[in-house]
Amino acid sequence: MHNDLNMRGSLTIFRREFAAYFNSPIAYIFIIAFLVLNAGLFMTGFFLSGAADLRGFFGNLPFFLIFFIPAVSMRLWAEDKRLGTFELLMTLPMRTADVMLGKYLAALAFYLVALAGTLTLPIMVGALGNPDGGAIFSSYLGAALLGALYLGIGTFTSGLMRDQISAVILGIMACFLLFVLGIPAVAATIDGWVPGLGSLLQNYLGLSSHYEMMLRGVVGAADLAYFLGLTAVFLVLNALWLEGRKF
Amino acid sequence: MIEVRGLSKSFGTMKALDDVSFRINRGEILGFLGPNGAGKSTTMKIITTFLAPDSGAVTVDGIDVLERPLEVRRRIGYLPENVPLYLDMNIHEYLTFVGRARGLEGARLRERLDWCVEACGLRTEYRKNIGELSKGYKQRTGLAQALIHDPDILILDEPTSGLDPLQILGIRDLIKSLAGHKTIIFSTHILQEVSPVTDRVVIINEGSIIADGTVADLSRGAMGTNRVFIGARAEAGAVEAALRSLPVVTELKPLRATEGCRFEARGPFSDDLVGSIERLARERGWQLTELHEAPYSLEDTFIALTRRARGLKEVA
Ligand SMILES: Nc1ncnc2c1ncn2[C@@H]1O[C@H](COP(=O)(O)OP(=O)(O)O)[C@@H](O)[C@H]1O
Ligand SMILES: [Mg+2]
């Protein structure tokens, strides 16, 4: 009965937060900007190289989302702190983790809506050529997991900050770090300073290698574990931080 | 029932609460009084489980706020000082959200929405965006939010702050209408707010409780002496001399009078000042135009108490 109520609590928060995205014009601006930019990148690739594939689109996503995702998640906690509703949420009969999950999933759903808007691209590609359906599917899975991870980071940084601007800047920096650590040249440079450290960071924290496997159509358990595990870490940190604030 | 025992809380080096204790029984209304920065909000945040104390304990109906916070939250309706409103929602959406988050649904939710909208006078603005509401309606929406689950306990942090006199009256009536059914703590830094709503006050100053009791008890303790106004149609000098000769009168102050004479007499609370003066007047054959006790206002009491508390701190 207890868990049941908590699920319902998360669902209530989810509904409010998801609606809040679409209550503001910013949501539509975000979605349109996301689609236009991504479709634009795809088209440019298509016309320049004549290649009717989605590599350009998916390949750019880890960089592009560094800016898009923290902007989506920045309001999650910072907005409630500004409005004073944070105090309401923290005195509702549900755990901090339940509130957090509702908020996080609302942001994820919003991102998935934007991502779903790009499904016109594979349809176009399908009409023009003979794409690898499996790779497209796994690429979308990779894009969803990538967004989920960035959103976990963004939710965490939103919880640290009182205002949205600091939340988005900190979020961008944290996502950028994961992105950069995954770049082989960066790993090699760090290895040059401290032998082994760069590769270690690249393997455990850097996202490129995990993400790129999925673009190639390979969904490995280690890659899934990387995305889901790291996302969970940030969400747990988020809940712990918000609980710890009481003291 | 709420029991607060030995609460202390610091923010950095700032000691916001220092060994705060008081209790409030079921069905009681408590005015929690103190100047800005005294620690009222901090105390309320601890009772509502938003903050944890550094030391001390709070139990709500016997449940410890640190051990079982969710159960405490279920019993409490809380209006924080910064009214927590989602400006992009209308009143209906907002109250529905809070109601659902508190486990209400279906017919029960609709019934509670109806009740709150009626009790808080929100009908006309019900579908308006909260961001567009006046300060008074925002405050009432916040109050409705605290009432939505029909809690046994209400914690209201400065529920009338920033409202105009008519709106204050409305909120006051609402609180009074809940008297007897609910246990209520409301805080204010305005003395006049307390007496119309309740008798029972706890006064906090600089993080410490400096008084706890009824307004009458407190003025007794704080002011030390009772105060009586006397007016008589008689020769002023004779009246003054006679009053001074009464053993129960420790202080006598002549006042200006339009006819006859007027005096303010003070004496210990334990003595029957009015009775003694009445007897004296009958013996001497004065015609009294006025004879009554003048209860001290909460202001006088408050000033005396804070002065005394400051004196004690300096001594210590
Ligand atoms: N989050 C906080 N951080 C730092 N200081 C705080 C915080 N909350 C309250 N204080 C300080 O604690 C003291 C008591 O504040 P508060 O409980 O809000 O008083 P009141 O509600 O009686 O006006 C004040 O000096 C205030 O500045
Ligand atoms: Mg306050």
Side-chain angles (χ1 to χ4, degrees):
Chain A
M1 190 235 132
H2 229 80
N3 282 324
D4 179 53
L5 188 71
N6 287 341
M7 283 289 289
R8 284 218 330 253
S10 295
L11 184 66
T12 303
I13 303 288
F14 173 87
R15 282 164 68 171
R16 136 83 208 155
E17 293 293 328
F18 191 65
Y21 277 114
F22 291 96
N23 261 351
S24 90
I26 294 170
Y28 300 96
I29 296 171
F30 269 153
I31 290 187
I32 289 167
F34 182 76
L35 295 182
V36 167
L37 253 155
N38 282 315
L41 282 170
F42 170 75
M43 291 299 193
T44 322
F46 176 68
F47 287 115
L48 286 183
S49 64
D53 68 37
L54 290 162
R55 288 239 192 88
F57 162 65
F58 284 114
N60 278 310
L61 219 45
F63 181 73
F64 179 58
L65 288 183
I66 288 174
F67 305 97
F68 178 79
I69 293 282
V72 169
S73 56
M74 65 179 180
R75 51 168 294 283
L76 284 181
W77 294 112
E79 172 86 342
D80 282 287
K81 288 184 188 169
R82 185 179 69 83
L83 289 173
T85 41
F86 183 63
E87 206 165 333
L88 170 69
L89 296 178
M90 293 294 113
T91 50
L92 287 174
M94 53 178 103
R95 294 170 307 173
T96 304
D98 300 321
V99 180
M100 187 241 355
L101 216 56
K103 281 176 169 285
Y104 172 75
L105 291 176
L108 185 61
F110 176 73
Y111 165 66
L112 293 180
V113 167
L115 189 63
T118 66
L119 284 171
T120 45
L121 300 180
I123 292 168
M124 270 171 58
V125 173
L128 291 166
N130 194 12
D132 176 352
I136 289 180
F137 176 78
S138 70
S139 297
Y140 266 101
L141 182 63
L145 289 171
L146 175 68
L149 172 56
Y150 279 3
L151 274 174
I153 296 171
T155 307
F156 174 64
T157 62
S158 181
L160 294 180
M161 295 296 160
R162 260 209 103 73
D163 70 295
Q164 303 197 26
I165 302 300
S166 323
V168 78
I169 291 172
L170 196 65
I172 288 172
M173 283 172 14
C175 292
F176 189 70
L177 190 67
L178 286 193
F179 175 73
V180 172
L181 287 177
I183 297 173
V186 174
T189 311
I190 299 176
D191 274 338
W193 299 330
V194 183
L197 181 65
S199 327
L200 191 79
L201 291 173
Q202 185 187 13
N203 282 336
Y204 285 99
L205 288 178
L207 59 82
S208 307
S209 59
H210 303 286
Y211 180 67
E212 266 149 30
M213 289 304 279
M214 296 189 137
L215 297 199
R216 275 185 244 133
V218 185
V219 182
D223 304 321
L224 284 178
Y226 166 81
F227 281 111
L228 296 177
L230 206 51
T231 304
V233 165
F234 279 106
L235 293 182
V236 168
L237 283 178
N238 184 220
L240 287 177
W241 173 268
L242 293 172
E243 269 299 303
R245 142 216 75 83
K246 277 171 90 165
F247 295 93
Chain B
M1 205 214 37
I2 301 172
E3 194 159 6
V4 174
R5 267 174 290 137
L7 284 194
S8 294
K9 175 84 183 172
S10 297
F11 297 105
T13 56
M14 224 307 284
K15 190 144 199 176
L17 295 181
D18 185 8
D19 195 21
V20 165
S21 301
F22 60 88
R23 60 178 279 156
I24 160 167
N25 294 316
R26 183 175 286 278
E28 224 181 342
I29 302 188
L30 173 81
F32 194 35
L33 189 63
N36 279 322
K40 303 181 295 294
S41 297
T42 305
T43 306
M44 292 178 137
K45 283 174 196 198
I46 293 173
I47 297 174
T48 55
T49 79
F50 181 70
L51 288 181
D54 297 340
S55 60
V58 177
T59 56
V60 173
D61 291 342
I63 304 165
D64 189 286
V65 294
L66 286 177
E67 280 166 19
R68 291 187 283 162
L70 298 196
E71 279 178 56
V72 170
R73 292 178 192 176
R74 262 180 220 118
R75 283 158 208 259
I76 291 181
Y78 176 38
L79 174 62
E81 186 169 17
N82 298 318
V83 185
L85 300 171
Y86 284 118
L87 305 181
D88 59 333
M89 292 174 127
N90 65 33
I91 295 179
H92 168 75
E93 292 164 337
Y94 173 71
L95 293 179
T96 303
F97 164 69
V98 180
R100 285 216 180 101
R102 287 191 165 280
L104 301 177
E105 56 188 332
R108 175 73 182 144
L109 176 60
R110 279 193 299 279
E111 180 194 316
R112 287 305 303 161
L113 283 173
D114 263 351
W115 188 90
C116 288
V117 166
E118 216 44 66
C120 301
L122 295 171
R123 188 68 69 199
T124 55
E125 311 288 299
Y126 196 49
R127 299 282 171 180
K128 224 189 225 177
N129 260 15
I130 292 176
E132 294 159 21
L133 296 179
S134 70
K135 172 90 181 138
Y137 273 105
K138 281 185 179 156
Q139 196 79 21
R140 281 193 254 172
T141 306
L143 199 56
Q145 163 278 127
L147 287 163
I148 192 80
H149 54 302
D150 197 13
D152 285 338
I153 297 166
L154 276 176
I155 310 283
L156 310 174
D157 197 354
E158 310 242 0
T160 56
S161 81
L163 300 186
D164 66 40
L166 210 63
Q167 294 168 333
I168 290 178
L169 232 58
I171 300 263
R172 224 183 249 171
D173 288 344
L174 181 59
I175 295 177
K176 270 196 280 188
S177 74
L178 298 169
H181 309 289
K182 301 203 184 296
T183 309
I184 305 175
I185 303 182
F186 74 96
S187 73
T188 175
H189 63 276
I190 301 164
L191 293 158
Q192 292 87 333
E193 297 273 288
V194 180
S195 344
V197 181
T198 178
D199 233 15
R200 167 89 197 277
V201 279
V202 164
I203 303 182
I204 184 170
N205 189 47
E206 293 175 10
S208 302
I209 302 291
I210 57 171
D212 182 347
T214 65
V215 176
D217 287 342
L218 294 184
S219 20
R220 252 167 230 222
M223 313 306 283
T225 54
N226 196 359
R227 188 166 62 157
V228 173
F229 286 111
I230 307 137
R233 285 203 195 91
E235 201 265 310
V239 174
E240 183 168 349
L243 285 172
R244 277 197 200 283
S245 71
L246 280 178
V248 292
V249 174
T250 53
E251 268 176 78
L252 191 72
K253 199 160 70 180
L255 302 172
R256 281 200 303 157
T258 45
E259 55 167 337
C261 54
R262 277 186 88 220
F263 295 93
E264 178 190 320
R266 290 181 188 237
F269 274 103
S270 48
D271 293 326
D272 182 11
L273 213 49
V274 170
S276 314
I277 295 168
E278 209 166 22
R279 250 171 280 135
L280 181 72
R282 221 179 300 128
E283 279 166 25
R284 304 285 167 106
W286 305 332
Q287 193 189 346
L288 290 177
T289 53
E290 179 185 357
L291 178 64
H292 60 88
E293 270 185 26
Y296 295 104
S297 70
L298 209 42
E299 276 92 334
D300 301 331
T301 311
F302 185 72
I303 290 165
L305 284 169
T306 44
R307 245 188 227 140
R308 199 166 63 177
R310 204 161 295 145
L312 286 178
K313 265 194 185 163
E314 271 155 26
V315 171

